[in-house]
Amino acid sequence: MTNVSMTVNGKAVSREVPDETLLSEFLREHLRLTGTHVGCDTSQCGACVVHVNGKAVKSCSTLAASLDGSQVTTIEGLANGGLHPMQQAFTENHGLQCGFCTPGMIMTSVDMVNRYKADGKELTAQAIRGELAGNICRCTGYHNIVKAVEDAAAKM
Amino acid sequence: MSTGIGARVQRKEDKRYITGKGKYTDDVRNESQAYAAFVRSPHAHANVNGIDTSAAMAMDGVIDVLNGQQLTGDGIGNIICGWAITSKDGSPMNMGAWSALATSKVRYVGDAVAVVIAETQALARIAAEAVEVDYEVLPAVAASDKALAGGAALIHDNAPGNLIYDWEIGDGAATDAALAGAAHVTELAVTNNRLSPNAMEPRAAVATFDECDDHYTLYTTSQNPHVARLVLSAFYQVAPENKLRVIAPDVGGGFGSKIFIYPEEITCLWASMKTNRSVKWTSDRSEAFITDAHGRDHITTAKMGFDAAGKIVGFKVDTIANFGAYMSLFSSSVPTYLYATLLSGQYNIENIHCNVRAAYTNTVPVDAYRGAGRPEACFLVERMMETAAREMGKDPTDLRRANFVQEFPHQTPVIMAYDAGDFGANLDQAMAAADVAGFAARKAESAGRGKLRGLGYSSYIEACGIAPSAAVGSLGAGVGLWESAEVRVNPVGTIEVLTGSHSHGQGHETTFAQIVAERFDLPLENVSIVHGDTDKVQFGMGTYGSRSGAVGMSAIVKAMDKVEAKVRKIAAHVLEASEDDIVIEGGQVKVAGTDKAMGWHEVGLSAYTAHNLPPDMEPGLKEGAFYDPANFTFPAGTYICEVEVDPETGVTDIVQFTASDDFGTIINPNIVEGQVHGGIAQGIGQAMLEQVVYDDDAQLVTGSYMDYAMPRASDVPSFSVHHASTTCPNNPLGMKGCGEAGAIGSPPAVINAITDAIGSNDLAMPATPQAVWNAIQAAK
Amino acid sequence: MDMSGSYRIGAPRQAVWTALNDAEVLKLCIPGCEEIEQTSPTTMTARVVQKIGPVKARFNGAIELLNVNAPQSYTIKGEGQGGVAGFAKGAADVTLSEDGGETVLEFEARAQVGGKLARIGSRLIDAAAKKVARQFFDNFHDHLNGKDPPGD
Ligand code: FES
Ligand code: FES
């Protein structure tokens, strides 16, 4: 067992967990933040993406213990009250159907837009598709997800 | 902004999904939750000579280890296929026994032999590893044609030669004669590749037995909770229906794979009773690849005959369908009544004959996956049309047009009676949107860059709105396929609609509310949709076969008709007017041409206070209805795919994908277009990427997202989606259904485009760069 | 999966043969071998740890020598259960021929994997098997030349 302390969605948390606990398990099972989803076991689908110290990370392939002291943001904590422009854009553009991939899609997309803005690069539809390489959606065919990210990028 | 029929309303359910508050089955955790892990066979075919659970039982935190002998000993029934198909010699299909936990023999890699119940999921999985199973390995077979060939391993004793049925439809002699007299006959052999549905939410179940009430509650990832309850009760004898509540909360995609009732749900319910604990199981992805029913897997040869003018005179088809190791719930209907009945396509064909043999193999059971039978039919027919056009030197659109059904209703020789459509209008619309006229110039431009450009068509038709109960009953279905609804107007005038349809991404909470809000002219937020819980909803047959609109919404309309009739009676009584003069609008119930009116909510309140109701009227304002469709519905359309192939590498880019669909009435275009996008992406996946592969020993070798290629954002283009609609005459809203069209119509368009580009017709799905490159080389 | 190859080993044939039949030598040379026990002149049991792609498995297996034609050739057949990882089995026909003072070892092997190993690791099996084979023969060559692999 290891003690893991981190800040999750702005709140300090500390839990005694088995050494091999993944961040996804830590969030879902220990903190009961079930918005972060697990869709695969080979780090391929991106349903589990959260932000660690502001960067998108696949929580299914990160040990909770390795993040002691980190700042973690999950879909539940993305907006402080109201909706983040990315969340808004996903619903306005019908960028989700079953919603299972959605938290990971949104967390990945927020990070994507932030990076492009920081680098002063233009986020084209093609770039968005490339950047979403690590996120699988089986429902939407990506069409409206790409639209949503373009839309949010203009507003963020 | 309008929120009624045809409005692009934002989805009501989105808020919880985009904020991480959706509640999926794996998010459920009960007090003192116990966890299940299954011990699964690594062998494709083996006798189970013994199971040693002692090491697992000795582990700390292991509650119990249960096996198939105990399961069957407790009277849990075998898993059945609910659609009886009769072979052409009159014999019934050969259904082999399928116990939720194998008793003496395993028949595919992944077949469960035991289950460990433990205090944590990790512990359950570790303990499952410690269960020692003594397997006596038997020869195995994965391919359906090999399974049917003499000498293959026998999988079920009661299915000699591994043959489940040998079925036919249509007039064989007449078709042969027509082909013999044809001016041109095109022959084609196609394989419809085996797919894994891969809803992003893995299946899960949480089963809780309540000893005091002798009652079970099951949370499960289901497209049809009532069907699950019915089957779990009636066939698997887990518990009587009144002692079993099935809840399907938010469901993260299904595409058919969550219709069926699987061994895991049965086992969790039973194990909950055995251990007196709430038992939870969540599949991981690699487990999903070996437990979720697969889709497609047909091998087909066919001949189509044409007269000198290019009219089709006959179509003869021979198909082998792979059913895997056991018959899943609706497996038998897929390659028969959902496939062969659509072989007429959009065309007027007088003679059709199709023979289907279904085979057991040592693979995961195969059942309905998005489109179910119809994509197989469409792929064959549309590849055939394109191939024939090329052989006869005709333009593929001319050949299609010359054969389109023009008059409705149209009776095909394979059961279906098409009720409405305008196939030419969809083809025209798609051709205009795809700028087919400019294709030659684009092709020349590509050629200048050393690339091969191609254009491919697919004019699909499907039968949806599944299905008229008496009709499917006469064809062997074990259930009726109506839908039910209840519309409850509360005393304050808000409305709850309880529906047996169950959304797993389709947005019912929005579209269903739209038709109610429009009908009673109320704000959308005053209408709530209740679904997915057998304790709340009266009954239902669930969501599949693009039926929630055409069947589910029709049931709501029927219930609304009754509500409206009662509202009129109450208002006429209170306002002292004639029922015929009552109009419902703007939140009021008024007498036409007067200023007499009462608020909608006042009618609701009157119904419940019952102080002043017409004589003999019962209090309350809630009405239920069951709607049984009069016919299937027939969504149709034309898809055009334009590709650019790099001849050096075989890498294929879809540069444009255009769809023109006829779905009848559209309630919410956003949602309909989203269904088309997703369907097309899955169809492109089938055409270019996806393939479940078994090796010669029937070992699955594509068991993860590293090995099974799923379409990612950069694999698909943006889609150009259009509608040219005719109204369905057979249901009150005129709807046809839109959930499967994309997956049905797109694969042949893609393959027709690639084969057009490379100038070789010999290309199977999935058309990976390697396959395309090989086809180019072979044609040189 | 099929695999074949030939190795030149800097030792006389008899020495190679003896070593190939010596459980201790095999234990030293088989990559990941934790334990080997001779149960009869032609049978052994072994425990080997292998990592193939994302799947790590400890195989408990039985090894059997067939068609023994000393000091020229035999068939070595193995079968291992790797728990949830699945199973692996295979056989190799091994032939030794003399060439000067050295020995040329040729083999033809067939292997099969099942369960999770097949599902997730099959793309990697060929490469992994070749690597294991090469390591084995490198170790074996070194052993016969007095350089034992770094023990674990
Ligand atoms: S769950 Fe993390 S990548 Fe799939
Ligand atoms: S919305 Fe269902 S997987 Fe993306």
Side-chain angles (χ1 to χ4, degrees):
Chain A
M1 299 295 270
T2 325
N3 186 278
V4 177
S5 301
M6 52 175 98
T7 308
V8 177
N9 298 333
K11 268 192 255 158
V13 297
S14 181
R15 294 284 189 285
E16 196 68 22
V17 299
D19 299 355
E20 66 279 7
T21 304
L22 297 165
L23 178 58
S24 52
E25 284 177 277
F26 185 73
L27 295 169
R28 288 183 56 81
E29 300 301 329
H30 297 271
L31 304 182
R32 295 302 285 151
L33 289 168
T34 55
T36 298
H37 296 152
V38 175
C40 74
D41 42 18
T42 51
S43 299
Q44 306 276 307
C45 78
C48 62
V49 171
V50 299
H51 292 175
V52 175
N53 301 326
K55 291 209 161 35
V57 159
K58 287 184 169 167
S59 64
C60 73
S61 37
T62 311
L63 288 173
S66 72
L67 299 178
D68 202 49
S70 302
Q71 301 270 347
V72 172
T73 307
T74 70
I75 188 72
E76 289 95 337
L78 181 62
N80 2 353
L83 293 177
H84 185 280
M86 190 63 74
Q87 291 170 316
Q88 192 72 41
F90 265 72
T91 178
E92 281 173 8
N93 292 281
H94 187 36
L96 65 149
Q97 291 181 23
C98 79
F100 196 80
C101 73
T102 311
M105 283 284 177
I106 289 177
M107 298 311 280
T108 299
S109 302
V110 168
D111 177 60
M112 179 197 314
V113 173
N114 287 341
R115 277 187 290 113
Y116 273 69
K117 292 226 176 235
D119 296 351
K121 283 195 294 187
E122 194 200 348
L123 189 55
T124 61
Q126 206 191 344
I128 294 170
R129 288 184 182 274
E131 290 284 343
L132 288 176
N135 291 70
I136 302 179
C137 175
R138 191 56 154 169
C139 296
T140 64
Y142 305 100
H143 182 110
N144 287 338
I145 291 179
V146 174
K147 267 172 65 185
V149 178
E150 284 181 300
D151 183 17
K155 292 172 183 161
M156 272 169 69
Chain B
M1 203 186 91
S2 158
T3 58
I5 292 174
R8 291 184 178 270
V9 175
Q10 258 179 57
R11 296 202 317 174
K12 289 162 69 112
E13 46 271 84
D14 281 359
K15 179 115 189 243
R16 64 177 188 270
Y17 297 133
I18 57 178
T19 54
K21 301 283 163 47
K23 190 180 184 195
Y24 300 86
T25 300
D26 187 48
D27 301 339
V28 173
R29 189 170 74 190
N30 288 310
E31 279 297 301
S32 80
Q33 186 70 61
Y35 296 83
F38 288 84
V39 179
R40 300 188 181 280
S41 171
H43 302 287
H45 200 188
N47 287 323
V48 176
N49 290 337
I51 303 174
D52 181 357
T53 61
S54 53
M57 283 299 280
M59 292 170 123
D60 254 359
V62 170
I63 299 161
D64 209 347
V65 182
L66 301 164
N67 64 40
Q69 301 289 355
Q70 293 168 284
L71 179 108
T72 47
D74 280 357
I76 302 296
N78 284 327
I79 300 171
I80 49 102
C81 172
W83 196 308
I85 298 291
T86 306
S87 283
K88 57 193 179 194
D89 66 3
S91 61
M93 62 187 188
N94 299 319
M95 179 158 57
W98 184 8
S99 169
L101 296 174
T103 48
S104 55
K105 190 173 168 182
V106 287
R107 294 180 172 87
Y108 68 100
V109 173
D111 211 350
V113 291
V115 64
V116 175
I117 312 298
E119 297 293 346
T120 70
Q121 187 183 55
L123 206 59
R125 288 181 178 174
I126 292 168
E129 278 190 52
V131 174
E132 298 258 347
V133 183
D134 179 5
Y135 293 108
E136 176 193 337
V137 178
L138 302 167
V141 60
S144 57
D145 51 353
K146 288 190 186 150
L148 292 181
L154 184 63
I155 298 167
H156 289 277
D157 290 344
N158 64 334
N162 297 317
L163 182 70
I164 298 169
Y165 54 68
D166 184 354
W167 173 92
E168 67 176 345
I169 190 169
D171 187 335
T175 306
D176 285 339
L179 287 170
H184 178 87
V185 174
T186 294
E187 295 189 30
L188 193 64
V190 302
T191 304
N192 209 287
N193 40 335
R194 187 180 181 109
L195 305 173
S196 176
N198 275 301
M200 290 315 297
E201 178 205 22
R203 286 191 300 114
V206 185
T208 309
F209 175 63
D210 177 342
E211 204 186 9
C212 300
D213 292 337
D214 198 20
H215 181 276
Y216 295 79
T217 303
L218 174 69
Y219 281 87
T220 181
T221 46
S222 174
Q223 299 176 216
N224 35 221
H226 280 94
V227 175
R229 186 181 66 161
L230 168 68
V231 175
L232 285 163
S233 289
F235 297 102
Y236 312 147
Q237 273 100 35
V238 173
E241 275 177 287
N242 63 322
K243 294 288 186 188
L244 173 59
R245 176 183 187 184
V246 178
I247 303 169
D250 286 327
V251 178
F255 317 112
S257 67
K258 291 172 183 169
I259 298 172
F260 326 118
I261 291 62
Y262 288 92
E264 292 82 11
E265 287 111 83
I266 300 168
T267 304
C268 284
L269 281 163
W270 169 69
S272 171
M273 181 272 292
K274 291 297 265 192
T275 59
N276 210 1
R277 293 283 296 268
S278 176
V279 173
K280 175 170 177 175
W281 167 78
T282 306
S283 173
D284 59 27
R285 185 57 56 187
S286 39
E287 201 173 11
F289 274 104
I290 49 164
T291 61
D292 293 2
H294 291 172
R296 320 267 200 272
D297 203 342
H298 282 193
I299 302 173
T300 295
T301 54
K303 286 182 195 170
M304 188 179 267
F306 296 83
D307 69 13
K311 298 280 279 180
I312 305 166
V313 296
F315 189 24
K316 193 164 171 85
V317 178
D318 186 66
T319 294
I320 303 175
N322 191 337
F323 275 27
Y326 300 99
M327 290 186 76
S328 176
L329 191 62
F330 287 125
S331 56
S332 58
S333 64
V334 176
T336 49
Y337 295 112
L338 294 175
Y339 163 71
T341 54
L342 272 306
L343 287 171
S344 198
Q346 296 191 352
Y347 312 109
N348 199 339
I349 307 179
E350 211 169 302
N351 302 292
I352 298 177
H353 179 260
C354 177
N355 196 97
V356 179
R357 284 173 296 155
Y360 277 123
T361 62
N362 295 110
T363 62
V364 172
V366 179
D367 206 325
Y369 161 60
R370 201 170 196 171
R374 291 150 292 168
E376 296 92 312
C378 177
F379 187 73
L380 176 63
V381 172
E382 291 305 294
R383 284 288 290 134
M384 186 60 108
M385 292 305 281
E386 203 91 2
T387 304
R390 288 172 191 168
E391 286 180 1
M392 294 188 286
K394 288 182 189 295
D395 180 277
T397 62
D398 290 345
L399 185 67
R400 285 180 171 86
R401 264 185 229 279
N403 287 286
F404 276 159
V405 170
Q406 308 275 5
E407 278 164 34
F408 298 90
H410 171 83
Q411 178 64 53
T412 72
V414 279
I415 298 181
M416 292 300 172
Y418 300 165
D419 53 5
D422 185 348
F423 304 146
N426 290 112
L427 178 57
D428 291 342
Q429 187 184 45
M431 288 177 75
D435 185 23
V436 171
F439 174 71
R442 297 195 293 277
K443 187 175 171 77
E445 190 275 329
S446 295
R449 288 182 286 111
K451 299 283 171 67
L452 306 171
R453 200 175 264 255
L455 199 64
Y457 297 85
S458 162
S459 294
Y460 75 90
I461 189 164
E462 49 169 332
C464 293
I466 289 172
S469 298
V472 295
S474 74
L475 302 177
V479 289
L481 290 169
W482 42 264
E483 193 46 272
S484 93
E486 184 172 300
V487 175
R488 288 186 194 163
V489 182
N490 296 314
V492 292
T494 56
I495 297 180
E496 279 136 25
V497 177
L498 293 84
T499 170
S501 300
H502 182 46
S503 174
H504 44 287
Q506 295 87 345
H508 294 166
E509 290 170 38
T510 306
T511 49
F512 286 19
Q514 279 180 263
I515 62 166
V516 179
E518 160 139 334
R519 176 72 175 265
F520 298 130
D521 203 10
L522 295 169
L524 196 64
E525 57 272 19
N526 288 16
V527 184
S528 300
I529 306 300
V530 179
H531 56 142
D533 182 343
T534 59
D535 262 17
K536 292 184 181 162
V537 176
Q538 58 293 342
F539 210 90
M541 296 310 295
T543 292
Y544 42 84
S546 305
R547 67 192 302 275
S548 293
V551 188
M553 285 200 207
S554 295
I556 296 174
V557 170
K558 252 186 105 178
M560 289 196 294
D561 290 343
K562 297 185 192 174
V563 168
E564 183 177 330
K566 190 162 181 181
V567 165
R568 284 173 181 281
K569 281 201 175 72
I570 295 171
H573 177 75
V574 174
L575 300 171
E576 296 176 336
S578 150
E579 277 174 49
D580 296 340
D581 292 336
I582 300 292
V583 287
I584 302 172
E585 81 188 6
Q588 293 204 305
V589 183
K590 310 182 203 171
V591 183
T594 72
D595 58 0
K596 288 204 276 185
M598 57 196 293
W600 169 265
H601 61 284
E602 290 176 285
V603 180
L605 195 61
S606 308
Y608 288 94
T609 58
H611 296 161
N612 182 20
L613 291 178
D616 302 329
M617 179 182 274
E618 287 177 16
L621 191 51
K622 106 182 163 119
E623 298 288 347
F626 285 69
Y627 172 79
D628 198 2
N631 189 1
F632 291 88
T633 63
F634 298 95
T638 289
Y639 290 174
I640 303 179
C641 178
E642 191 167 326
V643 297
E644 196 176 74
V645 179
D646 182 343
E648 302 297 318
T649 59
V651 169
T652 302
D653 240 354
I654 298 181
V655 288
Q656 183 175 246
F657 199 103
T658 310
S660 168
D661 296 292
D662 176 358
F663 295 141
T665 306
I666 289 173
I667 307 297
N668 186 331
N670 282 353
I671 287 177
V672 169
E673 287 158 13
Q675 287 294 315
V676 175
H677 297 157
I680 294 174
Q682 285 182 14
I684 291 174
Q686 166 160 31
M688 297 178 67
L689 300 164
E690 298 179 39
Q691 168 90 304
V692 170
V693 181
Y694 280 91
D695 71 11
D696 289 342
D697 301 304
Q699 286 289 337
L700 178 71
V701 297
T702 48
S704 80
Y705 286 151
M706 296 186 300
D707 314 273
Y708 186 86
M710 295 270 285
R712 293 173 190 263
S714 52
D715 295 318
V716 293
S718 285
F719 309 108
S720 168
V721 174
H722 309 267
H723 306 288
S725 302
T726 60
T727 301
C728 174
N730 284 310
N731 60 56
L733 293 166
M735 300 178 72
K736 299 188 180 184
C738 65
E740 297 162 290
I744 293 168
S746 55
V750 174
I751 299 298
N752 286 339
I754 302 176
T755 51
D756 179 50
I758 65 176
S760 161
N761 202 44
D762 194 10
L763 180 66
M765 298 191 288
T768 58
Q770 187 182 3
V772 173
W773 188 86
N774 285 340
I776 294 171
Q777 300 310 310
K780 273 186 178 163
Chain C
M1 195 246 331
D2 294 324
M3 179 166 75
S4 61
S6 92
Y7 288 84
R8 171 171 287 272
I9 297 166
R13 181 160 80 174
Q14 188 57 49
V16 173
W17 178 259
T18 311
L20 273 181
N21 285 276
D22 180 339
E24 271 313 304
V25 177
L26 292 177
K27 180 182 166 189
L28 276 172
C29 299
I30 296 173
C33 184
E34 296 181 336
E35 200 179 285
I36 236 177
E37 199 185 322
Q38 187 107 32
T39 45
S40 84
T42 56
T43 56
M44 293 166 241
T45 57
R47 199 167 72 223
V48 180
V49 176
Q50 284 297 333
K51 190 168 183 314
I52 298 166
V55 187
K56 186 173 178 193
R58 176 172 276 116
F59 291 96
N60 287 305
I63 297 173
E64 194 181 353
L65 304 179
L66 305 162
N67 313 323
V68 178
N69 179 15
Q72 224 170 339
S73 63
Y74 69 24
T75 300
I76 180 165
K77 196 173 143 209
E79 198 170 328
Q81 296 294 334
V84 281
F87 63 83
K89 53 187 176 191
D93 300 321
V94 180
T95 329
L96 304 179
S97 47
E98 296 182 295
D99 188 19
E102 304 195 318
T103 308
V104 175
L105 181 154
E106 286 175 286
F107 73 95
E108 247 176 81
R110 303 160 293 284
Q112 190 207 338
V113 290
K116 194 162 193 162
L117 272 174
R119 283 203 300 288
I120 298 189
S122 60
R123 283 170 307 115
L124 314 164
I125 293 278
D126 282 32
K130 290 200 174 99
K131 189 170 142 220
V132 168
R134 199 185 54 239
Q135 261 177 25
F136 170 78
F137 289 114
D138 285 352
N139 292 345
F140 191 68
H141 173 91
D142 288 352
H143 173 80
L144 288 174
N145 287 282
K147 284 183 285 174
D148 266 327
D152 30 30

